Amino acid sequence: MSLSKIETLLQDKVSQLRQQGISKGREKVITGILPAVDGFGPRYLLEGFGSRHFLRMNANAYLGLGLDPRVIRAEAEAVETYGAGPGAVRFISGTYRPHVELEKQLAEFHGREAAMLFSAAYATMLGVLPLLIAEDTLVVSDALNHNCIINAIRLAQPVRKEVFAHGDLAALDAILAAYRGLVKRVCVVVDGVFSMRGDHAELGKISAICRQHEDTYEQGIITLVDDSHGVGAFGKTGRGTEEVTGGKADILIGTLGKAFGVNGGYVASSAAVIAYLRESAPLYIYSNPITPGEAAAASAALRVVDSPEGAQLLETLRGLSLHLRNGLQRLGFETLPGEHPIVPLLIRDTDKTAALVDHLFAHNILATGLNYPVVPKGEQEIRLQVSANHTAKDLDYLLDKLACFP
């Protein structure tokens, strides 16, 4: 037995990715974090780059809670009490008190009857969506939905699938009208906040359209939203796209690994749906949960978000995001309007995007370029992500270095 034959094929695939300019390349390794000083936020040390300290503009840590002493302390105390890992899947002996308490918190935070933890938000989508799709189900998806939704649909292998142009609700309405009498059930799935652009789904309007058509389908229409980039970072109280738009999905998927600063994913819905998923979702049943320490840390982070202090952090985050958007526009760069801390810097050219990422890195700024096929052709961009740990001085430093890009 040998890997020599397949290794050649795999190496060719990696080479193709490099030639296309979409290879991820060698990962940068963080070796330390320097605290905020002199009006600047935290800085990051990287392996192989000596004492250079970097401004991180490519993280999902929207509220900076991963560095919050209360969150760190909660995890440390839970590790001392329960150990470093769960040691088993949930239904055997891997359910700890912090898991149960966090699920209750999440359900209450989102105004749902129940919630359920997964190892990651990606695993949550893969674990949930296929279980909602039966033989006579139509799945309807936004064209810019995240890769986890695309792969969940592929895994489910629905008989019928429709994709509407990004945000085109007239197209959604037409699809639902066209399939009357052809299927028994419809599942409409969208991102809350779209991760590459920072814009959001109009959940209120989507819900209204679905209500207009629901009675024409024997098993109704299910709406599912993945609001991983919205929860904790969007809305006055951090309840995400639902709060901003006034809409409410039947099933909400979120993450603990972005605004909450920890790790893991979750789904919140009715008690009946969650009971079904606990008994049916392989990625829940056969996978270890997040650690008890992570669950305790997420609970501590959620308490911060769901407090006056959290509301202030969110207001700070909105102000910083606006500061960056205004600065980009002042410099003549193209971006998209909005309040979300994802601030896309639209370059629309692969080589220029790569050159600008290199320019920023040379000035100790970590930023990520997004090229085709991660984003559509002509929409190449640098995704800048603001954190409440940033300061106006950080953003002004970034803008100053962008201004001197040739």
Side-chain angles (χ1 to χ4, degrees):
M1 297 177 65
S2 171
L3 290 173
S4 59
K5 293 183 179 180
I6 193 172
E7 281 179 344
T8 300
L9 296 173
L10 300 179
Q11 289 167 354
D12 287 344
K13 289 183 179 294
V14 172
S15 295
Q16 290 172 12
L17 293 174
R18 289 172 179 159
Q19 292 169 6
Q20 294 169 9
I22 57 174
S23 168
K24 303 298 183 296
R26 183 181 176 184
E27 297 173 357
K28 295 178 175 64
V29 180
I30 294 172
T31 59
I33 304 174
L34 303 176
V37 64
D38 295 332
F40 291 100
R43 290 297 187 271
Y44 292 78
L45 302 175
L46 299 181
E47 184 178 86
F49 293 92
S51 61
R52 287 177 62 183
H53 47 275
F54 292 84
L55 169 62
R56 189 161 72 150
M57 295 300 307
N58 58 354
N60 301 315
Y62 297 120
L63 295 181
L65 292 175
L67 298 178
D68 189 293
R70 294 163 294 184
V71 176
I72 296 171
R73 185 167 56 250
E75 180 160 1
E77 290 174 353
V79 169
E80 290 290 341
T81 301
Y82 300 107
V89 297
R90 292 281 299 267
F91 81 95
I92 294 179
S93 60
T95 296
Y96 290 75
R97 179 176 292 173
H99 295 130
V100 177
E101 291 177 346
L102 176 57
E103 287 172 335
K104 182 180 179 182
Q105 273 183 279
L106 288 167
E108 292 175 350
F109 182 74
H110 290 296
R112 297 323 203 268
E113 292 178 343
M116 170 179 161
L117 296 172
F118 281 79
S119 59
Y122 202 112
T124 309
M125 181 59 70
L126 292 180
V128 171
L129 182 58
L131 296 178
L132 303 173
I133 297 172
E135 291 181 358
D136 294 324
T137 303
L138 164 68
V139 178
V140 186
S141 175
D142 188 289
L144 291 190
N145 276 344
H146 189 268
N147 179 268
C148 69
I149 296 175
I150 295 169
N151 279 335
I153 294 172
R154 288 174 178 163
L155 180 64
Q157 296 183 325
V159 174
R160 299 176 184 272
K161 178 187 74 172
E162 293 285 351
V163 177
F164 60 92
H166 178 54
D168 188 348
L169 300 190
L172 170 62
D173 184 54
I175 291 168
L176 295 179
Y179 274 87
R180 293 176 184 173
L182 300 179
V183 297
K184 293 182 179 179
R185 181 190 311 172
V186 180
C187 183
V188 177
V189 55
V190 296
D191 279 325
V193 171
F194 291 87
S195 60
M196 303 304 170
R197 298 164 56 89
D199 59 344
H200 61 273
E202 292 293 344
L203 288 183
K205 296 178 182 178
I206 290 173
S207 297
I209 291 170
C210 291
R211 281 194 299 270
Q212 291 173 5
H213 294 277
E214 185 168 26
D215 289 343
T216 64
Y217 291 94
E218 182 180 329
Q219 296 177 6
I221 299 176
I222 301 168
T223 55
L224 188 153
V225 61
D226 180 348
D227 206 20
S228 292
H229 283 276
V231 173
F234 201 33
K236 290 186 177 181
T237 68
R239 283 166 170 80
T241 308
E242 292 188 333
E243 179 177 14
V244 171
T245 66
K248 189 169 185 179
D250 297 309
I251 299 172
L252 171 70
I253 286 174
T255 185
L256 305 171
K258 292 183 171 61
F260 294 126
V262 191
N263 183 45
Y266 64 90
V267 56
S269 188
S270 69
V273 168
I274 298 302
Y276 164 69
L277 293 173
R278 286 192 196 277
E279 296 291 340
S280 307
L283 286 167
Y284 173 84
I285 296 170
Y286 300 108
S287 295
N288 274 12
I290 62 174
T291 69
E294 288 171 327
S299 287
L302 183 53
R303 284 193 292 272
V304 173
V305 174
D306 195 20
S307 73
E309 179 186 353
Q312 182 59 53
L313 279 173
L314 285 156
E315 184 175 342
T316 297
L317 184 61
R318 287 191 295 274
L320 289 169
S321 301
L322 180 63
H323 183 86
L324 179 56
R325 279 187 170 86
N326 289 341
L328 291 175
Q329 291 170 349
R330 189 168 57 250
L331 292 175
F333 286 101
E334 182 183 1
T335 187
L336 295 176
E339 292 187 347
H340 193 273
I342 291 176
V343 182
L345 176 51
L346 294 163
I347 306 299
R348 303 190 184 281
D349 178 270
T350 296
D351 292 338
K352 189 174 180 181
T353 298
L356 183 49
V357 169
D358 290 343
H359 168 80
L360 292 175
F361 188 81
H363 290 89
N364 300 324
I365 299 170
L366 299 177
T368 300
L370 301 172
N371 291 312
Y372 175 82
V374 177
V375 294
K377 289 181 179 179
E379 295 191 17
Q380 296 91 328
E381 66 172 81
I382 294 176
R383 180 176 64 177
L384 300 172
Q385 293 169 278
V386 181
S387 168
N389 270 354
H390 288 141
T391 69
K393 287 184 71 173
D394 289 327
L395 302 183
D396 288 340
Y397 175 79
L398 167 64
L399 291 166
D400 179 63
K401 300 312 173 187
L402 286 170
C404 67
F405 178 65

